[in-house]
Amino acid sequence: MKQAAAPGQAERMQATTIRTRTRPNVLARLKKDKWLYLLLTPGLLYFIIFKYVPMWGVLLAFKNYQPFLGFWKSDWVGLEHFRVFFTNPEFFMLLRNTLILSLYNLVFYFPAPIILALLLNELRLAFFKRIVQTLIYIPHFISLVIVASLTYVFLTTEGGVINEFLFKYTGAKIDFLASPDWFRPMIIMQTIWKETGFGTIIFLAALAGVDVEQYEAAITDGANRWRQLWHITLPSIRSTIIILLILRMGDVLDNGFEQIFLMLNPLNRESAEVFDTYVYMMGITQGAFSYSTAVGLFKAVIGVTLVLGANWLAKRFGQSGIY
């Protein structure tokens, strides 16, 4: 008589059989699609060389890097740079400014492309729709230097268009460029003007995939445009919105260096200084390479944590997430 298999032995034997059968299939697919995988090689090399290999540079955050000693001979200091950073009186100012700007972006900018895409989707004249799309895409391709220059032209107290208008009707001017209170609204308005139009592309693509028969059935049942929007359009693009929101969470501590740096000055620094500009100031202007690397690593770890946390929450609420 055959002996009964030990508990778990049958499952292990089945898994071994599946792996044995799968391996030749994988090799066969690789051989069959070898030219496709060959086309994939340049992309893989790009990520390996420019994304993964430079990750060894994070070791700089744990060393007291001295250029004349080199990377490997510089002294190992462990978490010393992180201790200095977290006990720095400016840490909470940087954290506050960065989080407030990110919150403004989530509240005011993130919904803007969605709303604009929904409005564009309601246009029935294709010619007019293409003209509008072209006009709202253009700001995305304008350099941030030009955007900052236009902001100065409009808001400066010395002949600025808006201040001249305010002076004419109120007799007073507002120093938008030097005021800490106006810095964050100014940055958000720049972002909305520059990126909202281009951000509609993804949502318009998602809206193009909505089944037209659902709208026809809704019209038959007497649903008006608002009901169709709420019960058909928004649920159809909900997964796209959630995925983009999850990815957006990874940039909570990344407000964009160039835009902030161009609008930063000593008078509005209290509200304008963020982690990105601080890394530049400490790493490039003051030569504290190890310290600035530690700050950058802190940002990266927080970003990854937020993405994973947002993805976990999305799955808990029944959404697909990013993986």
Side-chain angles (χ1 to χ4, degrees), residues 104-115 192 203 240-246 248:
Y104 279 21
N105 270 304
L106 285 175
V107 173
F108 297 108
Y109 166 67
F110 184 78
I114 303 173
I115 296 171
I192 292 174
F203 297 107
T240 303
I241 295 173
I242 290 175
I243 288 173
L244 291 177
L245 180 60
I246 292 172
R248 182 68 187 173

Side-chain angles (χ1 to χ4, degrees), residues 299-314:
K299 283 179 48 188
V301 171
I302 296 298
V304 171
T305 304
L306 289 174
V307 167
L308 296 177
N311 187 74
W312 177 79
L313 283 176

Side-chain angles (χ1 to χ4, degrees), residues 14-33:
Q14 184 178 4
T16 303
T17 304
I18 293 174
R19 286 197 298 269
T20 305
R21 292 176 179 175
T22 303
R23 193 176 297 112
N25 292 335
V26 172
L27 295 175
R29 287 200 300 269
L30 288 173
K31 185 177 180 180
K32 177 183 177 182
D33 301 325

